[in-house]
Amino acid sequence: MYRGWLRSSSVAFLATAFLVAFAVLAGGCANRPLVATPGPTAYTGPATTSPGGSTPGSTSPAPAPTTAVGPYRPNTHGQIMVIVYHNIGPQEGRWERTPAGFRSDLQALYDRGYRPVNLGDLVAGRINVPKGYSPVVITFDDGTAGQFRYVTGPDGKTEIDPDSAMGVMLAFHRDHPDWPLRATFFINGDPFQQPGWQEKLKFIVENGMEIGNHTLNHVYLNKVSASETVEQVGKEQALIDTAVPGYNATTLALPFGAYPAYPDAVRDGTYNGVHYHIRAMVLVGAGPIPAPFSPQFDPERIPRIQAVDASLGIKYTLPFWLDYFDRHPEARFVSNGTTGN
Ligand SMILES: [Zn+2]
């Protein structure tokens, strides 16, 4: 189903790897033990080209979004990484990234000329990154405390935990002003597992990030009725609306990566007078997506790349794809500087 956008033989090889990985990783969101990925173990050919020294240095001044020219030749037919994190916490693991690990991911993306966009914007064709840079989407599933936590600071005031994902992103944005605050948070019925969640949802939206629907109770949408589907999506939208009145979550992460039995009930519905309209559904594994303007792009089956530490050795996760696009920069989507490209 993804072969249409694969052009070179090395990329065709990757299609096989991708499909294998997809089957392994698509479970998603459950704290299941790590499954070793069978299949190809190495690329068959040498690296072709590399961005070399042309990547922007982390100390270079922030380019103005409308005039900067990045290090890559525009290619609006290339592929885009949509990355997924689960918890941010003390242990590197299949479903957890440490704050230091998350920070290093942001730095790795920044140094390679990626810039974040919200998923809803990407799907709507609004790819607002400077010319020569590549869009990347950062998503978070399950609304864990480690993604956005309040703590009591040294002065006794409530502050955002600098080691939660939000704290890491705020600091990174402060140090790299040309890395905007963009991310998509897919939440359930207990957002961020802490009081004050309404304020957090407001903060996300007011700072340019996105709230996505992950159903109220993290249900298997392939196993519930149409009416229960409407209830699960609609009640979550209602919960979001209590925090950010009028905000419509247009993207939905499928719990466990399970495609719904009643996709129509996910797309549009009304529950207790609350209407929702979902334009994009995301899966869990495991490769990049074709450009959203491409006929191969399916907004209702968007695969995502798991961000895990390289030391875990899990194939087809973020370290693998970073390396892949270093070796194949011609495969990257690169902005031509026009929103919408
Ligand atoms: Zn989940």
Side-chain angles (χ1 to χ4, degrees), residues 2-249:
Y2 294 94
R3 288 181 186 271
W5 50 273
L6 296 163
R7 291 192 291 266
S8 75
S9 60
S10 64
V11 179
F13 153 77
L14 199 62
T16 309
F18 170 80
L19 292 172
V20 169
F22 190 85
V24 172
L25 292 172
C29 296
N31 289 319
R32 61 192 62 187
L34 172 63
V35 179
T37 307
T41 54
Y43 288 115
T44 50
T48 49
T49 54
S50 140
S54 61
T55 50
S58 58
T59 54
S60 60
T66 50
T67 56
V69 175
Y72 295 99
R73 186 191 301 262
N75 172 17
T76 58
H77 299 287
Q79 301 161 41
I80 300 170
M81 292 193 286
V82 180
I83 300 171
V84 56
Y85 291 88
H86 287 80
N87 196 32
I88 301 295
Q91 295 277 337
E92 293 293 357
R94 178 68 179 80
W95 307 103
E96 186 162 293
R97 192 85 172 104
T98 61
F102 180 46
R103 217 170 277 130
S104 74
D105 289 347
L106 296 182
Q107 191 70 55
L109 290 164
Y110 180 88
D111 290 345
R112 287 165 170 80
Y114 295 95
R115 295 294 182 268
V117 297
N118 293 336
L119 183 68
D121 288 330
L122 181 86
V123 170
R126 295 187 295 269
I127 305 182
N128 191 14
V129 300
K131 182 178 180 181
Y133 288 81
S134 294
V136 62
V137 180
I138 294 174
T139 69
F140 296 92
D141 277 16
D142 304 337
T144 65
Q147 293 171 8
F148 193 167
R149 186 189 290 110
Y150 288 146
V151 290
T152 304
D155 57 0
K157 286 185 187 162
T158 297
E159 60 181 38
I160 295 171
D161 182 353
D163 279 338
S164 66
M166 184 60 78
V168 170
M169 288 194 293
L170 289 170
F172 196 85
H173 171 61
R174 192 181 56 232
D175 295 342
H176 308 80
D178 58 328
W179 177 274
L181 279 176
R182 298 286 182 272
T184 301
F185 291 87
F186 290 106
I187 57 169
N188 307 107
D190 183 18
F192 310 116
Q193 305 169 309
Q194 192 184 34
W197 59 269
Q198 294 96 334
E199 201 182 317
K200 292 180 185 178
L201 296 191
K202 223 174 275 171
F203 183 91
I204 287 169
V205 173
E206 285 172 359
N207 286 278
M209 293 167 277
E210 178 181 21
I211 303 167
N213 194 319
H214 198 30
T215 75
L216 189 73
N217 299 119
H218 204 275
V219 294
Y220 282 94
L221 288 175
N222 58 334
K223 295 180 181 173
V224 298
S225 67
S227 64
E228 199 177 340
T229 300
V230 171
E231 182 175 345
Q232 283 290 326
V233 180
K235 279 188 171 174
E236 184 62 33
Q237 173 56 46
L239 177 142
I240 294 166
D241 192 76
T242 62
V244 192
Y247 185 87
N248 291 301

